[in-house]
Structures are given as structure tokens and as C-alpha cells.
Amino acid sequence: MSEDEKLLKEAKKFPWEDRLTHKNWKVRNDANIDLAAVCDSISDPKDPRLREFGPFFKKLVADSNAPVQEKALDALIAFLKAADADAGRYGKEVCDAIVAKCLTGRPKTVEKAQAAFMLWVELEAVDAFLDAMEKAIKNKVSKAVVPAIDVMFQALSEFGTKIVTPKRLLKMLPELFDHQDQNVRASSKGLTLELCRWIGKEPVKSILFEKMRDTMKKELEAELANATETAKPTRKIRSEQDKEPEVETASEVVGTGPAEGTVDDTPLEIDEYELVDPVEILTSLDKSGFWEGVKAAKWSERKGAVAELTKLASTKRIAPGDFSEVCRTLKKVVTQLFSGNFLF
């Protein structure tokens, strides 16, 4: 028996954490292979071993040794397939670690990282996934940005807007369209077209175009001309998958009609108002000198103050606040206007 074989045999007696963090990469590699095999064998998502394994992965996927990192991703994928939504508690740290260490790796590593992200979405850790994507698109290495956009495209395409929030994606796109790398911009177009399939062209154009350069608008406009607006999810989150056997049984008993409790996969109708962040305008009014201007003796200053209010209030969504004084002031302005004291 070789020295390596002796080392690996002896290491199998160690606790999981000691094996997975061992200084020898072959021991770590072997431990990840065993960890994946154990997770593959678990059929109960409440198995206590999953609670034990969960905290390991934030370090495992960040391994500096490329082959070991790949095996760690294999183990993570096996873990996520065995777990349920309770595993979401580890989502943020693990997704962040994947973004930091895996997206610039070997093609197979990137592919496995994307598969892991999709499983996090399947387990409803969508916020952790999208938070990580917001960090990924800021990576200085463009080859790490493209797989992040591609996995967002995949998540949206497979799960739909009921699971993957379009508002979060729309907030990321303007920055991506300004990226210096053409591959990033090309992937961003693909994600934009997929969004159009789910929520329609007009909401996407309305929100994106005001934040984009004219050259990019023209480019995207041409792409949007061929965009279709029909989409349907092809993949269910885990909690919905768990209901499927019961649904099928009910269908067999009742007949051919849809069973009660069947998941509605009709694309979600999106209100454009819900896609934009509310803008706080009261503070801006104070800073603009509105209150002094609207009470000024000169009609030109009053007119300028009202114009400033109009500009600020023309945003798509205004943040809640106490607008009682604004309303009282506008009432006075209207009264002055009709009495001839407010001349334009």
C-alpha cells in the first residue's frame, strides 16, 4: 500500500470537518467524493446529517485546488438535491462563496456552479441567489460576469417571474448594457429578451430605456422587434414538486379535469408600477428651494418652483410621505391662478 493510500485510509477515520479541511488536497478531494455519495444516499430531507453538512459548503466551494473545488461542487449539488427549503439558511454564504471563487474557474467548474445556483432557486433561496448575482455582475473579470447573466437567464426561463423577481433583474441590466465587454452586452440582450417574453416589451422598454445610452437603445430596439411575449415555466420549485404525486392521484380519481391544488403555471401579469423603486421626492423639494420659490413675490420664481415639483413628481413611483403641506400649497397656487394673481 502506497503512502497516499495509507493516508487516505487513515483519514477516513477522521470527523467530516477534519477530512474536508485537511492540509493534503488528496484527503480533501476524497472527503468531498464521500460526502457527495452520502448525500446521494439520503432520501429524507429532514435527515439530521444534512444539518451537519450544510455549514461546510461555504469553505468547500472556495477551495484553492481546482480539482477539489469541482468535487466540492459535486457534493454541494448532491446536498441540495437531498435537502429541502430549510437548506436556504446556508444560501447566502454559499452563493457568495461560489461567486467569489468559482465563476472564473474551469468550464466544468463554472457549469457545476450554475447547476448549484439553479438548485438554490429550486429550494426557494431566490433572494440569496439574486443578491449573489448583484455582486457577480460587478466582477472586474468579464468572463465571470457572463456566466452570472446566463444563469439568471436560465433561472428566469425555467422558473418564470413568479419565482425569479423581474424587478431585481431590471435593476441590474442598465449597468450591464454599459459594460465594455461585448460578450457581457450580448448576454444582457438575451436576458432582456427573455424578460420581454414574461412581462411584455413595453414595461421593459419603459423602465430600461430611460437609463440607457442612445446607441444601446437603438441596438436593443431592433432586437425587441422580434421578441415574443409568450412564456411558461418548465421547472417547479421543490415544494411544488413534492405535491405532484398527490395531484396525479387526484386526477386519476376525478377524471381528466385539472386536480384541485394543481400549480398554476400561467405567466404572472406584471404591473409596471411594481417593477420600479419608489423615489423619495420630499427631501429633493426641500433642497431645490421649492418652498421659498413657491411663495416668492416674482411670478417667474413661483412658476419655476411649480415646474420643479412637476419634474420631481413625474417619476413612475413616488415613495410614501406626508404630502399634506404640498397639497395645501398647490391649492393656494390654483386659487391664485384662477384669481389672476399667478400669471404665466
Side-chain angles (χ1 to χ4, degrees), residues 1 13 123 126 130 135 143 180 244 283 311 316:
M1 184 182 290
K13 301 174 186 177
L123 290 174
V126 184
L130 291 174
K135 294 174 184 175
K143 80 169 190 174
Q180 61 183 5
E244 285 179 346
T283 303
K311 178 183 174 182
K316 287 184 171 62

Side-chain angles (χ1 to χ4, degrees), residues 82-102:
D84 59 14
D86 185 60
R89 67 178 67 198
Y90 313 113
K92 178 174 172 48
E93 291 181 331
V94 179
C95 286
D96 284 352
I98 294 174
V99 163
K101 299 295 182 179
C102 300

